[in-house]
């Protein structure tokens, strides 16, 4: 039985597992996007499709490894992300990093991180439906190019955008979903956003269960994880 006390000490820094690349990743060029990630990032940097282009300091495209077996999708950049141009920095980003490390994942080795929105909403307000609609094709292209083996969805806007649902996080977590896009069918696990967990630490045990579900799903796809 999992010792959940480790989660509350460092958000799950218990047994560390290592994701292997495996052979399950789609390689057929027919499922890939029309532009590569470098071109796509340039498009994002000059995008003026919605009003967020007027208030942003800079766009926030992605972080991590472009051939990663695991992809993390968040909601929208905050103030620190807007300042640095990287997703999930600051306290929420540090917590996400510890959450990922609990299942052997890091930005520097086997994880790719992106948000639904590439620009910060003023005052960190919720994304508007029209903003999500304008920005979602960029995320779709990122998923097609990376073609991950599994996706971790953090926060309700990430879940609602990719799972095409209006259900709350509490209804969506605890089960495996599927992101279907351009010939890809990728298992996805939903969990609470790290910023929410910082405000509600009593929910961390549920997030730990979600991480275990994610690890089990990757184990199933890759024929097992190995300890490091």
């Amino acid at each position: 039985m999992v010792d959940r006390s480790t989660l509350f000490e460092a958000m799950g820094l218990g047994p560390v597992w290592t994701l292997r690349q495996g052979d399950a990743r789609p390689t057929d060029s027919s499922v890939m996007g029309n532009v590569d990630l470098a071109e796509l990032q340039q498009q994002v940097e000059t995008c003026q499709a919605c009003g967020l282009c007027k208030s942003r300091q800079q766009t926030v495209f992605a972080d991590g490894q472009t051939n990663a077996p695991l992809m993390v999708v968040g909601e929208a950049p905050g103030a620190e992300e807007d300042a640095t141009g990287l997703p999930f920095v600051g306290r929420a980003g540090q917590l996400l990093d510890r959450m990922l490390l609990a299942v052997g994942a890091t930005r520097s080795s086997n994880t790719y991180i992106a948000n639904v929105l590439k620009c910060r909403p003023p005052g960190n307000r919720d994304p508007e439906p029209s903003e999500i609609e304008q920005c979602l094709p960029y995320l779709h292209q990122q998923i097609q190019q990376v073609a991950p083996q599994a996706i971790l969805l953090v926060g309700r806007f990430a879940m609602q955008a990719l799972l095409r649902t209006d259900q709350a996080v509490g209804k969506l977590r605890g089960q495996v979903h599927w992101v279907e896009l351009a010939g890809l069918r990728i298992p996805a696990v939903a969990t609470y956003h790290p910023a929410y967990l910082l405000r509600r630490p009593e929910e961390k045990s549920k997030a730990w269960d979600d991480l275990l579900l994610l690890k089990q799903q990757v184990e199933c796809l890759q024929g097992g994880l190995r300890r490091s």
Side-chain angles (χ1 to χ4, degrees), residues 30-45:
S30 65
V31 302
M32 306 304 277
N34 294 323
V35 297
D36 64 27
L37 289 171
E39 293 174 310
L40 189 64
Q41 183 170 2
Q42 292 178 354
Q43 292 180 16
V44 168
E45 289 171 352

Side-chain angles (χ1 to χ4, degrees), residues 7 25 31 62 74 85 87-88 98 118 151 157 160 166 172 174-175 185 197 204 212 216 222 224:
L7 175 72
R25 289 166 48 81
V31 302
F88 284 98
R98 295 196 296 272
K118 309 308 183 193
I151 297 176
F157 292 104
Q160 292 173 354
D166 59 0
L172 295 170
Q175 56 189 302
R185 190 170 187 265
L197 295 175
K204 286 183 177 180
L212 291 178
Q216 290 165 5
Q222 296 182 266

Side-chain angles (χ1 to χ4, degrees), residues 2-14 95 98-99 102 197 200-209:
V2 176
D3 179 6
R4 296 188 184 184
S5 65
T6 57
L7 175 72
F8 295 97
E9 293 172 2
M11 193 57 206
L13 290 180
L95 178 53
R98 295 196 296 272
M99 292 168 66
L197 295 175
R200 297 283 303 275
E202 68 273 16
E203 301 283 25
K204 286 183 177 180
S205 62
K206 295 178 182 177
W208 177 238
D209 288 339

Side-chain angles (χ1 to χ4, degrees), residues 64-108:
Q65 305 305 303
T66 58
N67 63 344
L70 175 63
M71 183 170 180
V72 177
V73 177
E75 299 181 322
E80 291 174 290
E81 288 79 11
D82 187 40
T84 62
L86 294 173
F88 284 98
V89 295
R91 291 182 64 216
Q94 292 166 10
L95 178 53
L96 176 65
D97 288 342
R98 295 196 296 272
M99 292 168 66
L100 294 174
L101 187 59
V103 290
T106 67
R107 307 175 191 232
S108 61

Side-chain angles (χ1 to χ4, degrees), residues 8-227:
F8 295 97
E9 293 172 2
M11 193 57 206
L13 290 180
V16 177
W17 305 80
T18 303
L19 287 163
R20 293 186 304 201
Q21 290 293 337
D23 296 323
R25 289 166 48 81
T27 56
D28 187 345
S29 62
S30 65
V31 302
M32 306 304 277
N34 294 323
V35 297
D36 64 27
L37 289 171
E39 293 174 310
L40 189 64
Q41 183 170 2
Q42 292 178 354
Q43 292 180 16
V44 168
E45 289 171 352
T46 59
C47 179
Q48 298 183 9
C50 74
L52 296 181
C53 66
K54 299 177 181 178
S55 59
R56 71 190 180 207
Q57 291 190 54
Q58 56 188 315
T59 57
V60 180
F61 184 70
D63 193 18
Q65 305 305 303
T66 58
N67 63 344
L70 175 63
M71 183 170 180
V72 177
V73 177
E75 299 181 322
E80 291 174 290
E81 288 79 11
D82 187 40
T84 62
L86 294 173
F88 284 98
V89 295
R91 291 182 64 216
Q94 292 166 10
L95 178 53
L96 176 65
D97 288 342
R98 295 196 296 272
M99 292 168 66
L100 294 174
L101 187 59
V103 290
T106 67
R107 307 175 191 232
S108 61
S109 63
N110 51 24
T111 306
Y112 183 82
I113 304 175
N115 283 316
V116 175
L117 293 192
K118 309 308 183 193
C119 300
R120 179 198 179 197
N124 291 351
R125 62 162 172 77
D126 289 344
E128 296 178 353
S130 61
E131 294 165 349
I132 293 176
E133 181 181 358
Q134 293 288 350
C135 222
L136 196 55
Y138 293 130
L139 178 61
H140 285 172
Q141 287 276 359
Q142 287 175 297
I143 294 172
Q144 289 176 250
Q145 290 290 343
V146 176
Q149 291 180 1
I151 297 176
L152 178 65
L153 301 171
V154 292
R156 65 185 177 98
F157 292 104
M159 301 170 199
Q160 292 173 354
L162 288 180
L163 301 180
R164 302 180 181 90
T165 179
D166 59 0
Q167 290 188 322
V169 177
K171 295 287 187 181
L172 295 170
R173 58 159 301 276
Q175 56 189 302
V176 176
H177 303 274
W178 296 90
V179 173
E180 299 186 8
L181 178 67
L184 295 172
R185 190 170 187 265
I186 306 168
V189 172
T191 196
Y192 294 106
H193 196 284
Y196 173 81
L197 295 175
L198 290 172
R199 300 192 301 270
R200 297 283 303 275
E202 68 273 16
E203 301 283 25
K204 286 183 177 180
S205 62
K206 295 178 182 177
W208 177 238
D209 288 339
D210 298 331
L211 291 171
L212 291 178
L213 179 61
L214 177 71
K215 180 176 76 69
Q216 290 165 5
Q217 186 61 34
V218 177
E219 277 186 314
C220 179
L221 286 172
Q222 296 182 266
L225 296 170
R226 63 169 182 261
R227 294 178 186 269

